[in-house]
Amino acid sequence: MFSLGSWLPAWPGLAWGWALLDALLQGLVGACAASVLCSLLKVYLYIQCLNDPARQELKAAIGARRRALEPLHVLVLTGVLALVGTRVAALVVLEFSLRAVSALLSLGKGAHSSQLLLLCQYSLGCGVSCGLSFLLEGAPHGTCNLALAAALAGLLAVHARRLALHACSLYELHSRARYCGVCMLLLTAGHGVPRLLRNALVVTFTVGDLAAVALINRDFLSTAEAVRFWTPLTICYTLLVIYMQEEQRPSAGGREVYQTVLVRMGGLFILLLTVGRWTDILHVFLSLLGELWCLLHAGVLLEACRQQ
């Protein structure tokens, strides 16, 4: 493992050996976190559609089984998170945190909290990856800790996926017969799933934001360098938040979600052209692919949120 770097080709911003294994494990934990989020929201939205006679077709689309799609989603997201550097991942986390606070303060203007939970998939993966990178930096057994975290995250993702499959297949029958403990729990407490996820995400993004600021600041040798970076970053993010609030309108086609991603990543791209490194530009494109992949994976759930 230590000799891999001597004969494998160089990749911008990526180190071979144990560093590559650590990056893959961090990406896997982040991808599993996004998978758990989607599975729990799938259960909640399926139950909501089940209770609405006008959304039976959408209920059938949510409950459709796609056995190969979820492992593929986790695999692709793991690869993207492993390749994206901590610098760009930290910027993605900070940008989403500002946007989330702004959206939650303007719920009366059309922003939906359930939709916001779905839109944070990639940012959640970046936040978990940044948090692990910061907390385990310099740890003597960091790789073992990451392996344990990946195993626990994978276990949670598998059980959340099984819960979603069980609810989509048997909840309608079991909730009427009232003999399944899992479905009875969903019947009585299923409405609290978004609140549970919001509380968990607040803790996750709080840790992720602190880690992101620390990871970005460690690249600066002086206060002047930090000011030259943070000043345009603050201006750029402020303008992005204002633009998002001005353009936030309900749309039946949902194209504004993809336009928002392009605008955000475009702003980050322009910012890093002036104050970043050339490897950051590559990582921005990878982040764009990761965001679009997460949106495509959650397309049916986003439609359910818009109709809610």
Side-chain angles (χ1 to χ4, degrees), residues 65-88:
R65 292 195 175 189
R66 304 176 181 88
R67 295 186 179 275
L69 185 58
E70 188 63 28
L72 179 62
H73 173 63
V74 173
L75 181 63
V76 172
L77 193 54
T78 298
V80 172
L81 292 173
L83 292 175
V84 172
T86 55
R87 187 183 178 93
V88 173

Side-chain angles (χ1 to χ4, degrees), residues 79-221:
V80 172
L81 292 173
L83 292 175
V84 172
T86 55
R87 187 183 178 93
V88 173
L91 293 176
V92 170
V93 174
L94 293 175
E95 185 273 333
F96 179 82
S97 299
L98 292 176
R99 187 160 50 96
V101 171
S102 175
L104 291 176
L105 292 177
S106 61
L107 285 176
K109 297 181 180 180
H112 301 286
S113 58
S114 297
Q115 180 172 329
L116 186 63
L117 293 176
L118 282 173
L119 295 178
C120 80
Q121 292 180 74
Y122 181 74
S123 301
L124 173 62
C126 290
V128 171
S129 181
C130 287
L132 289 174
S133 177
F134 175 72
L135 293 175
L136 296 178
E137 187 175 15
H141 303 290
T143 302
C144 295
N145 294 332
L146 284 173
L148 179 59
L152 294 175
L155 186 63
L156 287 175
V158 169
H159 282 286
R161 177 62 178 167
R162 288 180 179 176
L163 175 63
L165 291 175
H166 179 85
C168 293
S169 302
L170 300 172
Y171 175 80
E172 188 173 4
L173 173 63
H174 289 176
S175 61
R176 293 175 182 174
R178 297 180 181 273
Y179 64 82
C180 174
V182 174
C183 293
M184 288 302 299
L185 179 62
L186 292 176
L187 181 64
T188 57
H191 62 277
V193 169
R195 182 175 57 189
L196 173 66
L197 292 175
R198 282 195 296 268
N199 293 336
L201 289 175
V202 166
V203 175
T204 303
F205 276 102
T206 300
V207 176
D209 290 337
L210 295 175
V213 173
L215 290 174
I216 293 175
N217 283 335
R218 72 180 182 183
D219 294 333
F220 303 126
L221 299 178

